[in-house]
Amino acid sequence: GLRKLTMAERKARVDKLLRLVGLGTHARLYPHELSGGQQQRVALARALAPQPDLLLLDEPFSNLDVDLRERLALEVRDILKELGTTGVLVTHDQHEAFAIADHIGVMQNGEIVQWDTAYNLYHKPGNRFVADFIGQGVFTPGTIDLPNQQVNIELGSLPLWQGVDFCSPDEKNAHQVDVLLRADDVIHDDCSPLQAEVVRKAFRGAEFLYTLRLPSGQVLLALVPSHHNHAIGEKIGIRLGADHVVTFPADK
């Protein structure tokens, strides 16, 4: 800790950490004079003061608004990298984990079911739970057509060589599979003959997240630029735009 340091060394350590967390000019302020984000920065500086090898952060940004939470998460990552300190972050916020972590462990029933990078968790989930938990997507029925080397789903066909991941060794020889489609795998295309009904919409600034229903009743998600503002109940053209698709054994 700091008790073994001289007064001058303590002051130097405190001044350095306050500058590091962006509070170099706030040293004389009381806690009630600081904003929520500034108070979190003070808490981080206090935790880093003893120069720990490992820092546990348990839901550190849960009481902050979304914009501040994401910005502060990136700042904390930069600070830990600069100091060479390993951090363990516990969070239920995927975006927070993606912003700060080099590796992420997804837990189910108290056990880590996949330990991986954010990219692999999203694009190469190890099981259905991870696929359903990470990101936004739906499972749609598919049929493996080995003679033609493709996977057929209602939206179209995907060549087996086009980035199709099979999540079990025997799956490629199976007939029926469930294909994971993310919201960014479904493209809005006015010229497409395949029509889907808008059943829900969520405005996100630059884009809408549409919930769509196909003629079969299958529900899909699609991220669409927000200048395409369609009404609930309207039918829009869509097509498959997936470059990488993950499949699982059909859930019977």
Side-chain angles (χ1 to χ4, degrees):
L2 301 181
R3 295 179 181 178
K4 297 180 181 180
L5 302 180
T6 66
M7 289 296 294
E9 289 172 332
R10 290 184 191 181
K11 185 178 185 306
R13 177 82 58 82
V14 169
D15 289 344
K16 176 183 177 181
L17 287 170
L18 286 178
R19 287 195 303 272
L20 194 61
V21 299
L23 295 176
T25 60
H26 295 66
R28 298 295 181 182
L29 297 183
Y30 289 95
H32 69 273
E33 297 177 295
L34 300 174
S35 67
Q38 290 170 336
Q39 290 178 18
Q40 291 295 85
R41 288 183 173 90
V42 171
L44 177 63
R46 292 180 63 184
L48 291 171
Q51 296 181 319
D53 294 324
L54 180 67
L55 183 66
L56 174 63
L57 302 110
D58 189 357
E59 302 275 7
F61 315 120
S62 58
N63 62 334
L64 304 177
D65 62 69
V66 175
D67 289 339
L68 180 57
R69 187 185 311 162
E70 293 183 359
R71 187 168 69 250
L72 196 55
L74 292 172
E75 291 178 8
V76 168
R77 174 184 170 85
D78 291 341
I79 291 169
L80 294 179
K81 289 287 187 181
E82 182 173 338
L83 294 176
T85 302
T86 299
V88 177
L89 172 72
V90 179
T91 181
H92 289 83
D93 188 322
Q94 295 178 28
H95 297 293
E96 190 173 288
F98 289 168
I100 200 172
D102 294 312
H103 288 82
I104 301 170
V106 178
M107 299 189 70
Q108 180 185 20
N109 299 325
E111 295 184 359
I112 294 178
V113 292
Q114 187 170 351
W115 177 265
D116 221 322
T117 63
Y119 180 91
N120 284 343
L121 289 175
Y122 187 86
H123 291 288
K124 299 179 180 181
N127 59 30
R128 292 179 73 101
F129 174 81
V130 176
D132 190 46
F133 182 74
I134 296 293
Q136 294 174 309
V138 297
F139 295 104
T140 186
T143 303
I144 294 178
D145 181 0
L146 282 179
N148 293 310
Q149 288 293 291
Q150 62 188 22
V151 179
N152 300 321
I153 61 175
E154 189 173 353
L155 274 74
S157 298
L158 289 165
L160 292 182
W161 48 263
Q162 185 179 315
V164 177
D165 270 356
F166 295 95
C167 293
S168 70
D170 298 328
E171 192 177 334
K172 191 170 182 178
N173 296 319
H175 187 60
Q176 301 297 327
V177 293
D178 287 337
V179 178
L180 173 65
L181 288 182
R182 302 286 191 191
D184 53 336
D185 293 329
V186 180
I187 307 299
H188 175 28
D189 183 353
D190 289 326
C191 298
S192 174
L194 180 60
Q195 300 285 300
E197 179 186 357
V198 177
V199 294
R200 281 194 298 274
K201 58 190 290 190
F203 183 68
R204 297 190 168 188
E207 58 199 8
F208 278 106
L209 176 64
Y210 283 109
T211 302
L212 306 172
R213 182 164 51 225
L214 295 174
S216 66
Q218 171 71 45
V219 172
L220 301 172
L221 299 175
L223 284 173
V224 178
S226 60
H227 58 273
H228 292 277
N229 186 11
H230 298 285
I232 303 295
E234 184 178 349
K235 292 186 177 180
I236 64 174
I238 59 171
R239 60 179 172 83
L240 187 62
D243 293 324
H244 184 92
V245 174
V246 176
T247 70
F248 295 89
D251 191 11
K252 299 178 181 179

